Amino acid sequence: MSERRHEISLLVNGIPHKLEVPGRRLLSDALRHDLGLTGTHVGCEHGVCGACTVLVGGVPMRACLLLAVSMDGESITTVEGLAAPDGTLSPVQQAFRDCHGLQCGFCTPGFLTTITAGLQDTPAPSQEQAREMIGGNLCRCTGYQNIVASVLRAAELTAERTAEHTAERTAAGELG
Ligand code: FES
Ligand code: FES
């Protein structure tokens, strides 16, 4: 007997998708295998390592612990959705590049999504807050020092870009 499939709609990185998935399909598998978005990595499949972290409505969640059917109608951002449409790296991506925040890169997508959300809540983190922000993600390579430096650098870059954007809009007469 064939397995019953369910139709769901997902908005992934701003693009609408309709999928037919079995009830037991994990979100991580739906993203990787059904949509081809293999930037979401799967390590432990038990919610421990954080490699599979994506943003659901802006909130970081473990894609390996979510059933795709439970995501019907949700807006999801994967690591592929962090850069601007013209390819400009997001502040967090740029900071990882600047500060050598990765080695093998397996854990990196989960760190990038987690930190992107973390900086929304804590835009100017202390060293300790930066460590807390990444406390739920595991990296086997870097010893975390460069990742912490990347968090702090990403906060600076975000502030710089916001200031530039505000100055441009002011010059264009859009503000005040
Ligand atoms: S693969 Fe999801 S937390 Fe490790
Ligand atoms: S860079 Fe290799 S696991 Fe983190």
Side-chain angles (χ1 to χ4, degrees):
M1 199 171 87
S2 67
E3 197 168 14
R4 190 177 155 212
R5 298 173 79 86
H6 307 261
E7 184 169 297
I8 60 169
S9 302
L10 300 177
L11 188 68
V12 183
N13 303 329
I15 299 171
H17 294 274
K18 282 209 184 300
L19 296 177
E20 276 200 11
V21 291
R24 63 192 167 82
R25 188 79 153 159
L26 296 171
L27 177 61
S28 48
D29 288 336
L31 292 171
R32 289 176 56 83
H33 302 306
D34 296 329
L35 299 183
L37 295 169
T38 52
T40 297
H41 289 172
V42 174
C44 65
E45 288 193 88
H46 289 289
V48 177
C49 73
C52 66
T53 306
V54 297
L55 305 179
V56 179
V59 177
M61 292 195 185
R62 309 291 209 224
C64 74
L65 295 183
L66 294 167
L67 292 172
V69 285
S70 72
M71 294 289 102
D72 187 24
E74 293 285 358
S75 171
I76 295 167
T77 305
T78 68
V79 68
E80 288 93 344
L82 296 184
D86 69 356
T88 304
L89 297 181
S90 76
V92 184
Q93 291 173 312
Q94 186 62 48
F96 267 64
R97 176 186 269 186
D98 293 350
C99 301
H100 308 288
L102 65 143
Q103 286 183 35
C104 81
F106 188 83
C107 68
T108 308
F111 275 96
L112 295 176
T113 49
T114 300
I115 295 165
T116 298
L119 289 176
Q120 302 266 358
D121 294 338
T122 313
S126 64
Q127 194 48 255
E128 199 182 338
Q129 287 172 318
R131 283 189 179 278
E132 266 170 36
M133 200 181 283
I134 58 165
N137 291 59
L138 299 180
C139 173
R140 291 175 189 271
C141 301
T142 63
Y144 300 96
Q145 197 55 44
N146 290 356
I147 300 178
V148 172
S150 301
V151 175
L152 301 175
R153 177 69 185 138
E156 280 174 11
L157 284 172
T158 303
E160 282 170 18
R161 287 192 193 180
T162 304
E164 277 168 22
H165 187 59
T166 305
E168 278 167 17
R169 290 183 64 195
T170 304
E174 289 177 33
L175 299 177

